[in-house]
Amino acid sequence: MSTTKKFDLVGDIAFFARETDNDIAISTAAGTYIGKLLPDNPDETYDGIKNFLEFRKNLNHTFDGDEPLEVILLVDVTLVTSSNQTMMIPFVYLFIDQIIGVSYGKIQD
């Protein structure tokens, strides 16, 4: 599967998860990341992430001929590692070429 098709599929599942009030689960070699997309109109809960996005936009790291970076931004993330350790992180950028699998659902409490 081409990276672009993979990017589209991951995006579709992420949007579907949001529409069905679920989280997206993305498997990588590091473990499974469970989170959600940044809301369209994020409230003050996401001020730190919004500040980082604005900071990064102002850096302007692009060069002529650069291809767009294919990443997905998840927020309110739980990482479950292959050794079954759990880490809570506010956000993560996942590189599409590092994704092994994708689904959606909820973590059982």
Side-chain angles (χ1 to χ4, degrees):
M1 178 180 289
S2 76
T3 305
T4 300
K5 286 182 183 179
K6 192 175 184 181
F7 183 76
D8 290 344
L9 176 61
V10 171
D12 291 347
I13 292 173
F15 287 115
F16 183 76
R18 180 167 57 188
E19 292 297 312
T20 58
D21 196 30
N22 283 286
D23 295 323
I24 184 169
I26 298 177
S27 295
T28 70
T32 300
Y33 293 84
I34 301 147
K36 56 188 173 187
L37 296 175
L38 184 65
D40 291 333
N41 297 306
D43 61 21
E44 65 276 351
T45 306
Y46 301 103
D47 281 349
I49 298 164
K50 291 188 305 186
N51 290 339
F52 173 75
L53 293 173
E54 188 64 29
F55 169 78
R56 189 168 187 293
K57 185 170 77 172
N58 291 333
L59 291 177
N60 193 14
H61 287 303
T62 60
F63 300 96
D64 289 338
D66 273 357
E67 292 182 24
L69 191 58
E70 291 186 321
V71 297
I72 185 167
L73 170 64
L74 298 182
V75 297
D76 300 330
V77 178
T78 301
L79 168 61
V80 181
T81 68
S82 55
S83 60
N84 211 28
Q85 294 178 330
T86 302
M87 178 189 300
M88 308 294 281
I89 48 181
F91 72 96
V92 65
Y93 279 100
L94 294 174
F95 297 95
I96 294 299
D97 63 343
Q98 300 301 307
I99 294 175
I100 298 169
V102 60
S103 190
Y104 69 96
K106 293 277 188 192
I107 294 180
Q108 297 294 328
D109 292 328

